[in-house]
Short mmCIF file of all heavy atoms in Angstrom, two decimals:
data_model
loop_
_atom_site.label_atom_id
_atom_site.label_comp_id
_atom_site.label_asym_id
_atom_site.label_seq_id
_atom_site.Cartn_x
_atom_site.Cartn_y
_atom_site.Cartn_z
N PRO A 824 42.13 56.11 22.54
CA PRO A 824 41.14 56.28 23.66
C PRO A 824 40.45 54.92 23.89
O PRO A 824 40.34 54.09 23.02
CB PRO A 824 40.18 57.32 23.03
CG PRO A 824 40.34 57.21 21.55
CD PRO A 824 41.78 56.87 21.38
N GLN A 825 39.99 54.80 25.12
CA GLN A 825 39.33 53.58 25.51
C GLN A 825 40.14 52.34 25.18
O GLN A 825 39.67 51.36 24.63
CB GLN A 825 37.87 53.43 24.89
CG GLN A 825 37.01 54.62 25.12
CD GLN A 825 36.62 54.73 26.64
OE1 GLN A 825 36.48 53.69 27.33
NE2 GLN A 825 36.42 55.97 27.10
N SER A 826 41.40 52.42 25.60
CA SER A 826 42.36 51.32 25.18
C SER A 826 41.95 49.96 25.91
O SER A 826 42.14 48.92 25.38
CB SER A 826 43.76 51.71 25.59
OG SER A 826 43.89 52.02 26.88
N THR A 827 41.47 50.06 27.12
CA THR A 827 41.08 48.86 27.82
C THR A 827 39.92 48.08 27.10
O THR A 827 39.97 46.87 26.92
CB THR A 827 40.61 49.17 29.24
OG1 THR A 827 41.66 49.90 29.87
CG2 THR A 827 40.39 47.87 30.07
N LEU A 828 38.93 48.90 26.63
CA LEU A 828 37.86 48.28 25.92
C LEU A 828 38.36 47.65 24.57
O LEU A 828 37.85 46.52 24.15
CB LEU A 828 36.77 49.31 25.65
CG LEU A 828 35.53 48.88 24.78
CD1 LEU A 828 34.84 47.73 25.58
CD2 LEU A 828 34.62 50.03 24.59
N LEU A 829 39.24 48.40 23.92
CA LEU A 829 39.69 47.82 22.65
C LEU A 829 40.52 46.53 22.88
O LEU A 829 40.35 45.57 22.10
CB LEU A 829 40.60 48.89 21.93
CG LEU A 829 41.27 48.44 20.59
CD1 LEU A 829 40.17 48.03 19.63
CD2 LEU A 829 42.09 49.57 20.10
N ALA A 830 41.32 46.51 23.93
CA ALA A 830 42.09 45.34 24.17
C ALA A 830 41.17 44.13 24.59
O ALA A 830 41.42 43.01 24.20
CB ALA A 830 43.10 45.57 25.26
N THR A 831 40.14 44.45 25.33
CA THR A 831 39.17 43.43 25.69
C THR A 831 38.43 42.93 24.47
O THR A 831 38.24 41.67 24.35
CB THR A 831 38.12 44.02 26.67
OG1 THR A 831 38.77 44.49 27.86
CG2 THR A 831 37.02 43.06 27.05
N SER A 832 38.07 43.74 23.52
CA SER A 832 37.41 43.31 22.29
C SER A 832 38.31 42.44 21.48
O SER A 832 37.85 41.42 20.90
CB SER A 832 36.91 44.48 21.52
OG SER A 832 36.08 45.38 22.27
N LEU A 833 39.60 42.81 21.45
CA LEU A 833 40.53 42.01 20.59
C LEU A 833 40.77 40.68 21.27
O LEU A 833 40.89 39.65 20.54
CB LEU A 833 41.82 42.79 20.46
CG LEU A 833 41.69 44.04 19.61
CD1 LEU A 833 43.01 44.93 19.73
CD2 LEU A 833 41.33 43.80 18.16
N GLY A 834 40.87 40.63 22.58
CA GLY A 834 41.04 39.36 23.27
C GLY A 834 39.83 38.41 23.08
O GLY A 834 40.04 37.28 22.85
N THR A 835 38.60 38.89 23.20
CA THR A 835 37.46 38.13 22.95
C THR A 835 37.36 37.65 21.54
O THR A 835 36.92 36.52 21.23
CB THR A 835 36.18 38.91 23.39
OG1 THR A 835 36.36 39.38 24.70
CG2 THR A 835 34.98 38.01 23.27
N GLY A 836 37.81 38.50 20.60
CA GLY A 836 37.82 38.15 19.17
C GLY A 836 38.72 37.01 18.87
O GLY A 836 38.39 36.04 18.20
N MET A 837 39.91 37.03 19.51
CA MET A 837 40.87 35.88 19.39
C MET A 837 40.32 34.63 19.99
O MET A 837 40.57 33.53 19.50
CB MET A 837 42.19 36.27 20.03
CG MET A 837 42.99 37.34 19.25
SD MET A 837 43.49 36.80 17.52
CE MET A 837 44.45 35.38 17.97
N GLN A 838 39.61 34.76 21.11
CA GLN A 838 39.00 33.65 21.77
C GLN A 838 37.96 32.97 20.84
O GLN A 838 37.97 31.73 20.68
CB GLN A 838 38.34 34.12 23.03
CG GLN A 838 37.64 33.00 23.87
CD GLN A 838 36.94 33.55 25.05
OE1 GLN A 838 36.79 34.73 25.24
NE2 GLN A 838 36.62 32.61 26.00
N LEU A 839 37.13 33.74 20.21
CA LEU A 839 36.13 33.22 19.30
C LEU A 839 36.82 32.61 18.06
O LEU A 839 36.32 31.61 17.54
CB LEU A 839 35.14 34.31 18.91
CG LEU A 839 34.29 34.79 19.97
CD1 LEU A 839 33.53 36.11 19.51
CD2 LEU A 839 33.20 33.82 20.38
N LEU A 840 37.83 33.26 17.60
CA LEU A 840 38.45 32.77 16.38
C LEU A 840 39.16 31.36 16.67
O LEU A 840 38.96 30.52 15.81
CB LEU A 840 39.54 33.76 15.90
CG LEU A 840 40.19 33.59 14.51
CD1 LEU A 840 39.13 33.61 13.45
CD2 LEU A 840 41.23 34.64 14.26
N CYS A 841 39.87 31.27 17.68
CA CYS A 841 40.45 29.91 18.02
C CYS A 841 39.37 28.91 18.32
O CYS A 841 39.48 27.75 17.85
CB CYS A 841 41.28 30.11 19.30
SG CYS A 841 42.74 31.10 19.12
N MET A 842 38.27 29.27 18.98
CA MET A 842 37.16 28.33 19.18
C MET A 842 36.54 27.86 17.78
O MET A 842 36.33 26.69 17.56
CB MET A 842 36.10 29.00 19.94
CG MET A 842 34.78 28.19 20.16
SD MET A 842 33.38 29.21 20.60
CE MET A 842 32.96 29.94 19.06
N ALA A 843 36.41 28.71 16.86
CA ALA A 843 35.88 28.45 15.58
C ALA A 843 36.83 27.52 14.76
O ALA A 843 36.37 26.57 14.18
CB ALA A 843 35.65 29.68 14.76
N PHE A 844 38.08 27.80 14.85
CA PHE A 844 39.08 26.97 14.13
C PHE A 844 39.07 25.50 14.62
O PHE A 844 39.01 24.56 13.84
CB PHE A 844 40.51 27.54 14.30
CG PHE A 844 40.90 28.52 13.23
CD1 PHE A 844 41.37 29.79 13.56
CD2 PHE A 844 40.84 28.16 11.90
CE1 PHE A 844 41.75 30.72 12.63
CE2 PHE A 844 41.19 29.12 10.90
CZ PHE A 844 41.65 30.40 11.30
N ILE A 845 39.07 25.39 15.92
CA ILE A 845 39.11 24.05 16.53
C ILE A 845 37.85 23.31 16.23
O ILE A 845 37.79 22.07 15.92
CB ILE A 845 39.47 24.11 17.96
CG1 ILE A 845 40.83 24.69 18.22
CG2 ILE A 845 39.47 22.69 18.59
CD1 ILE A 845 41.26 24.95 19.67
N SER A 846 36.75 24.03 16.40
CA SER A 846 35.40 23.35 16.17
C SER A 846 35.23 22.85 14.82
O SER A 846 34.76 21.74 14.56
CB SER A 846 34.23 24.37 16.55
OG SER A 846 34.28 24.70 17.86
N ILE A 847 35.63 23.69 13.77
CA ILE A 847 35.47 23.34 12.44
C ILE A 847 36.43 22.16 12.12
O ILE A 847 36.08 21.28 11.33
CB ILE A 847 35.75 24.58 11.52
CG1 ILE A 847 34.61 25.56 11.68
CG2 ILE A 847 35.82 24.08 9.99
CD1 ILE A 847 34.84 26.85 10.96
N ALA A 848 37.62 22.19 12.65
CA ALA A 848 38.62 21.09 12.39
C ALA A 848 37.99 19.77 12.94
O ALA A 848 38.16 18.70 12.30
CB ALA A 848 40.02 21.44 13.08
N CYS A 849 37.51 19.80 14.15
CA CYS A 849 36.93 18.61 14.73
C CYS A 849 35.73 18.08 13.91
O CYS A 849 35.60 16.89 13.67
CB CYS A 849 36.45 18.81 16.18
SG CYS A 849 37.84 19.14 17.29
N ALA A 850 34.91 19.10 13.39
CA ALA A 850 33.78 18.68 12.61
C ALA A 850 34.18 18.05 11.20
O ALA A 850 33.60 17.09 10.73
CB ALA A 850 32.87 19.90 12.35
N MET A 851 35.25 18.62 10.67
CA MET A 851 35.76 18.11 9.35
C MET A 851 36.30 16.71 9.55
O MET A 851 36.15 15.86 8.65
CB MET A 851 36.94 18.96 8.94
CG MET A 851 36.36 20.26 8.35
SD MET A 851 37.83 21.33 7.74
CE MET A 851 38.51 20.23 6.45
N LEU A 852 36.89 16.36 10.72
CA LEU A 852 37.32 15.07 10.99
C LEU A 852 36.22 14.08 11.35
O LEU A 852 36.51 12.88 11.57
CB LEU A 852 38.42 15.06 12.05
CG LEU A 852 39.68 15.84 11.79
CD1 LEU A 852 40.62 15.93 12.96
CD2 LEU A 852 40.44 15.16 10.54
N GLY A 853 35.03 14.57 11.53
CA GLY A 853 33.93 13.68 11.78
C GLY A 853 33.66 13.48 13.21
O GLY A 853 32.68 12.71 13.63
N PHE A 854 34.40 14.11 14.16
CA PHE A 854 34.14 13.94 15.64
C PHE A 854 32.87 14.56 16.10
O PHE A 854 32.32 14.30 17.15
CB PHE A 854 35.30 14.45 16.43
CG PHE A 854 36.57 13.66 16.17
CD1 PHE A 854 37.65 14.22 15.44
CD2 PHE A 854 36.71 12.33 16.67
CE1 PHE A 854 38.78 13.50 15.23
CE2 PHE A 854 37.87 11.62 16.49
CZ PHE A 854 38.87 12.26 15.72
N LEU A 855 32.29 15.51 15.35
CA LEU A 855 31.03 16.20 15.69
C LEU A 855 29.98 15.82 14.67
O LEU A 855 29.31 16.62 14.16
CB LEU A 855 31.30 17.70 15.70
CG LEU A 855 32.32 18.18 16.67
CD1 LEU A 855 32.48 19.69 16.62
CD2 LEU A 855 32.13 17.67 18.09
N SER A 856 29.86 14.53 14.42
CA SER A 856 28.87 13.99 13.53
C SER A 856 27.41 14.25 14.12
O SER A 856 27.21 14.32 15.33
CB SER A 856 29.05 12.52 13.37
OG SER A 856 27.92 11.92 12.80
N PRO A 857 26.44 14.45 13.18
CA PRO A 857 25.04 14.59 13.71
C PRO A 857 24.60 13.40 14.45
O PRO A 857 23.59 13.51 15.25
CB PRO A 857 24.26 14.78 12.37
CG PRO A 857 25.21 15.22 11.44
CD PRO A 857 26.56 14.71 11.78
N ALA A 858 25.27 12.23 14.29
CA ALA A 858 24.82 11.06 15.13
C ALA A 858 25.11 11.32 16.65
O ALA A 858 24.43 10.77 17.50
CB ALA A 858 25.63 9.82 14.62
N ASN A 859 26.08 12.19 16.91
CA ASN A 859 26.25 12.57 18.28
C ASN A 859 25.45 13.87 18.50
O ASN A 859 25.93 15.03 18.40
CB ASN A 859 27.73 12.85 18.54
CG ASN A 859 28.52 11.61 18.67
OD1 ASN A 859 28.10 10.57 18.99
ND2 ASN A 859 29.80 11.70 18.22
N ARG A 860 24.20 13.65 18.91
CA ARG A 860 23.32 14.75 18.97
C ARG A 860 23.75 15.73 20.05
O ARG A 860 24.09 15.33 21.21
CB ARG A 860 21.88 14.30 19.40
CG ARG A 860 21.19 13.46 18.27
CD ARG A 860 19.85 12.96 18.72
NE ARG A 860 19.99 12.16 19.95
CZ ARG A 860 20.22 10.85 19.93
NH1 ARG A 860 20.45 10.26 18.81
NH2 ARG A 860 20.27 10.20 21.06
N GLY A 861 23.77 17.01 19.80
CA GLY A 861 24.14 18.04 20.64
C GLY A 861 25.69 18.21 20.85
O GLY A 861 26.09 18.99 21.61
N SER A 862 26.47 17.36 20.19
CA SER A 862 27.92 17.40 20.38
C SER A 862 28.46 18.79 19.87
O SER A 862 29.43 19.24 20.46
CB SER A 862 28.56 16.24 19.65
OG SER A 862 28.35 16.26 18.29
N MET A 863 28.00 19.27 18.79
CA MET A 863 28.55 20.53 18.23
C MET A 863 28.42 21.67 19.20
O MET A 863 29.39 22.38 19.53
CB MET A 863 27.80 20.83 16.91
CG MET A 863 28.44 22.04 16.21
SD MET A 863 30.07 21.61 15.51
CE MET A 863 30.54 23.14 14.74
N LEU A 864 27.25 21.78 19.80
CA LEU A 864 26.98 22.82 20.74
C LEU A 864 27.80 22.66 22.02
O LEU A 864 28.35 23.63 22.61
CB LEU A 864 25.51 22.99 21.06
CG LEU A 864 25.06 24.15 21.97
CD1 LEU A 864 25.58 25.49 21.43
CD2 LEU A 864 23.56 24.13 22.14
N THR A 865 27.89 21.41 22.49
CA THR A 865 28.62 21.10 23.73
C THR A 865 30.11 21.45 23.54
O THR A 865 30.68 22.12 24.37
CB THR A 865 28.38 19.66 24.10
OG1 THR A 865 27.00 19.38 24.26
CG2 THR A 865 29.09 19.34 25.41
N VAL A 866 30.64 20.98 22.41
CA VAL A 866 32.07 21.17 22.23
C VAL A 866 32.38 22.61 22.00
O VAL A 866 33.43 23.18 22.50
CB VAL A 866 32.59 20.32 21.03
CG1 VAL A 866 33.94 20.67 20.58
CG2 VAL A 866 32.49 18.79 21.37
N THR A 867 31.53 23.36 21.29
CA THR A 867 31.70 24.77 21.07
C THR A 867 31.79 25.53 22.34
O THR A 867 32.61 26.43 22.58
CB THR A 867 30.70 25.31 20.16
OG1 THR A 867 30.67 24.54 18.92
CG2 THR A 867 30.87 26.80 19.89
N LEU A 868 30.81 25.26 23.29
CA LEU A 868 30.79 25.95 24.53
C LEU A 868 32.02 25.70 25.43
O LEU A 868 32.61 26.55 25.99
CB LEU A 868 29.53 25.60 25.32
CG LEU A 868 28.13 26.19 24.85
CD1 LEU A 868 27.01 25.58 25.64
CD2 LEU A 868 28.18 27.65 25.05
N LEU A 869 32.39 24.44 25.40
CA LEU A 869 33.60 24.03 26.15
C LEU A 869 34.87 24.66 25.63
O LEU A 869 35.76 25.04 26.40
CB LEU A 869 33.70 22.49 26.27
CG LEU A 869 32.64 21.73 27.03
CD1 LEU A 869 32.82 20.25 27.01
CD2 LEU A 869 32.53 22.27 28.53
N LEU A 870 34.99 24.63 24.27
CA LEU A 870 36.12 25.35 23.72
C LEU A 870 36.16 26.85 23.97
O LEU A 870 37.21 27.35 24.19
CB LEU A 870 36.13 25.10 22.15
CG LEU A 870 36.51 23.69 21.70
CD1 LEU A 870 36.28 23.57 20.22
CD2 LEU A 870 38.00 23.46 22.03
N PHE A 871 34.98 27.44 23.98
CA PHE A 871 34.96 28.85 24.30
C PHE A 871 35.48 29.15 25.72
O PHE A 871 36.23 30.06 26.00
CB PHE A 871 33.58 29.43 24.20
CG PHE A 871 33.43 30.90 24.54
CD1 PHE A 871 33.78 31.87 23.61
CD2 PHE A 871 32.97 31.31 25.77
CE1 PHE A 871 33.66 33.18 23.88
CE2 PHE A 871 32.88 32.65 26.11
CZ PHE A 871 33.24 33.61 25.10
N VAL A 872 35.06 28.23 26.66
CA VAL A 872 35.53 28.35 28.01
C VAL A 872 37.04 28.15 28.06
O VAL A 872 37.80 28.92 28.75
CB VAL A 872 34.75 27.39 28.94
CG1 VAL A 872 35.42 27.35 30.34
CG2 VAL A 872 33.38 27.79 29.02
N LEU A 873 37.54 27.07 27.43
CA LEU A 873 39.03 26.80 27.46
C LEU A 873 39.82 27.84 26.78
O LEU A 873 40.96 28.08 27.16
CB LEU A 873 39.25 25.41 26.88
CG LEU A 873 38.59 24.24 27.61
CD1 LEU A 873 38.85 22.90 26.87
CD2 LEU A 873 39.14 24.18 29.05
N MET A 874 39.27 28.47 25.79
CA MET A 874 40.05 29.53 25.07
C MET A 874 40.05 30.83 25.81
O MET A 874 40.54 31.86 25.32
CB MET A 874 39.39 29.77 23.62
CG MET A 874 39.54 28.62 22.73
SD MET A 874 41.30 28.14 22.41
CE MET A 874 41.42 26.59 23.25
N GLY A 875 39.50 30.82 27.07
CA GLY A 875 39.62 32.07 27.90
C GLY A 875 41.10 32.47 28.15
O GLY A 875 41.39 33.60 28.29
N CYS A 876 41.98 31.45 28.15
CA CYS A 876 43.40 31.67 28.32
C CYS A 876 43.96 32.48 27.16
O CYS A 876 44.70 33.43 27.28
CB CYS A 876 44.20 30.44 28.51
SG CYS A 876 45.91 30.54 28.97
N VAL A 877 43.49 32.13 25.93
CA VAL A 877 43.81 32.84 24.74
C VAL A 877 43.34 34.32 24.76
O VAL A 877 44.02 35.29 24.41
CB VAL A 877 43.36 32.17 23.47
CG1 VAL A 877 43.64 32.90 22.24
CG2 VAL A 877 43.93 30.77 23.41
#
Side-chain angles (χ1 to χ4, degrees):
Q825 303 296 329
S826 58
T827 307
L828 177 60
L829 179 57
T831 298
S832 302
L833 295 171
T835 307
M837 289 299 297
Q838 181 182 14
L839 291 170
L840 191 59
C841 292
M842 177 200 73
F844 270 126
I845 300 176
S846 298
I847 293 175
C849 291
M851 287 179 61
L852 294 175
F854 293 109
L855 302 182
S856 164
N859 286 331
R860 294 178 302 275
S862 60
M863 187 68 181
L864 183 56
T865 303
V866 170
T867 302
L868 284 175
L869 293 179
L870 284 174
F871 180 80
V872 171
L873 296 177
M874 292 301 107
C876 188
V877 175

